[in-house]
Amino acid sequence: MTAAGPVPVEFRATTKRYGRVEAMRALDLHIPEGRFVVLLGPSGSGKSTLVRCLAGVERIDDGELHLGNEVVADRRRHLPPERRNLGMVFQDYALWPHLTVAENVAYALRRHRPGRTEVARRVGEMLERVGLVHHHGRYPHEMSGGEQQRVALARALVASPGLLIFDEPLSNLDADLRERLRVEIATLSRDSGATVVYITHDQSEAFALADQIGVLDQGRLVQYAPPEEVYHRPATPFVARFTGLAAELPGRVVGAEADGSSVEVDVDGGRILVRRVEVLKVGDRVTVAVRPAAVRMTAVTGASVLAHAGVSNGSGRAPAIDSGHPGGLNGTVADVAYRGRGYDHVVACCGQLLTGCFDAVRHERGSAVSVNLDPDGCVAYSSTVAN
Ligand code: ADP
């Protein structure tokens, strides 16, 4: 049995409706062969619909779906899942309860009709790779969730498919197991060379795994880019929010960098430098999306406490503490939580609460801090953009 090699995937204006609901709206998505793509979105954004159509479990209503050189679905055509050369791993494992571990894995080879010895060899090799070789005679109900998901992974990989699909495979597992299995999925999938489509609602999982992230919102693909770009240049406020923010600060543009990549924004309490993803001009009202990692805090002590409180500057307005450069703002710690490697703080600043502000040292509740925002982790959007 020979592996067919990884396949590129292409959705062309693909639409899927359930009654009046357009669960997938004219989706255009090209995934080059061998790429690991994570589709990220909140519940109801159309992730499952997309992968069910890709797997062939659902029919599409409009557009086309290509796997390699073949049109596997359009308005008339529908190639069934077993003819799409793919392996799938589901959230609920979906193992056959009446089959042993080895039989479950071997089931994926049935279409290829290899000899018994070949089946035993391949199943044994796969179980070895997922660390379950000694469990081959067990039934699914005799295993933990993590072990069952490893069996599902072995079953998806054993026939060396050109496309691997993961439908929230870690959602039912505990945190530490999730992390370990995530690494195994990444390693085994990449070793297999297959194209991977992985869906999740968990942004940290998406950032950790993906070559490319596709963000879905109400059946539409709103951004498709490498993780670094999604993080630093989220295409819309929705993408920014869904991929983790400390806060959204209202403000007004007061200056622009010569190279056009950043603007200076007057927020309640000071001025900050931020990236822009759209054309903005001086005077525009904006919302600044702040990533938690952009927040740097320093304790305010002694004389600077007075300055912090706006006592000695005589201007009638609280100054920025590190006023030599934009970004030094007055803050007060509202909450602190120990996280092992350090502390997560909630800081009242600019009339908002900044959440998830990490520091290796603890700043007590009620203490004054100076807040600097790294421009690389701040993005300004015109306030007229609703989402
Ligand atoms: P996600 O996987 O991101 O949670 P889904 O693809 O399950 O999103 O759902 C997208 C939209 O399609 C939702 O509005 C959902 O209610 C609707 N939907 C999904 N499956 C069905 C179905 N079988 N019948 C009717 N509506 C459905």
Side-chain angles (χ1 to χ4, degrees), residues 53-87:
C53 291
L54 177 58
V57 183
E58 294 275 10
R59 287 173 177 270
I60 63 173
D61 293 307
D62 256 317
E64 292 177 359
L65 171 60
H66 298 235
L67 292 184
N69 295 324
E70 195 175 7
V71 180
V72 297
D74 61 19
R75 291 181 76 159
R76 292 178 304 276
R77 213 169 328 191
H78 177 82
L79 207 66
E82 62 275 13
R83 293 185 49 206
R84 294 192 182 191
N85 179 30
L86 52 86

Side-chain angles (χ1 to χ4, degrees), residues 295-310:
V295 182
R296 302 263 179 279
M297 288 179 290
T298 41
V300 176
T301 51
S304 54
V305 171
L306 296 175
H308 188 85

Side-chain angles (χ1 to χ4, degrees), residues 188-360:
L188 291 170
S189 301
R190 287 180 195 280
D191 285 354
S192 80
T195 307
V196 182
V197 178
Y198 184 111
I199 65 172
T200 182
H201 63 272
D202 181 331
Q203 45 104 354
S204 65
E205 215 172 293
F207 281 119
L209 283 166
D211 295 329
Q212 293 270 122
I213 293 180
V215 186
L216 290 170
D217 181 19
Q218 299 177 46
R220 287 187 201 284
L221 188 67
V222 288
Q223 187 163 19
Y224 184 46
E228 294 80 0
E229 191 173 331
V230 172
Y231 185 85
H232 289 297
R233 301 179 64 85
T236 65
F238 167 82
V239 174
R241 254 173 243 139
F242 194 67
T243 49
L245 290 182
E248 293 177 76
L249 308 177
R252 189 187 286 273
V253 176
V254 291
E257 288 285 282
D259 68 359
S261 65
S262 317
V263 286
E264 196 179 348
V265 176
D266 195 10
V267 291
D268 181 9
R271 289 186 173 185
I272 56 175
L273 197 60
V274 303
R275 279 178 184 261
R276 64 160 183 80
V277 289
E278 56 189 289
V279 177
L280 294 168
K281 55 185 190 315
V282 170
D284 282 352
R285 288 193 174 281
V286 291
T287 300
V288 178
V290 181
R291 296 293 192 195
V295 182
R296 302 263 179 279
M297 288 179 290
T298 41
V300 176
T301 51
S304 54
V305 171
L306 296 175
H308 188 85
V311 170
S312 61
N313 71 338
S315 70
R317 181 161 191 209
I321 288 293
D322 297 328
S323 50
H325 58 92
L329 304 163
N330 301 335
T332 305
V333 176
D335 190 44
V336 54
Y338 182 49
R339 298 290 186 209
R341 282 188 306 158
Y343 301 85
D344 267 346
H345 301 81
V346 177
V347 179
C349 181
C350 305
Q352 306 282 322
L353 289 177
L354 301 177
T355 57
C357 308
F358 182 84
D359 202 348

Side-chain angles (χ1 to χ4, degrees), residues 18 21 23 42-49 52:
Y18 295 107
V21 177
S43 179
S45 59
K47 303 182 297 296
S48 305
T49 301
R52 287 203 301 264

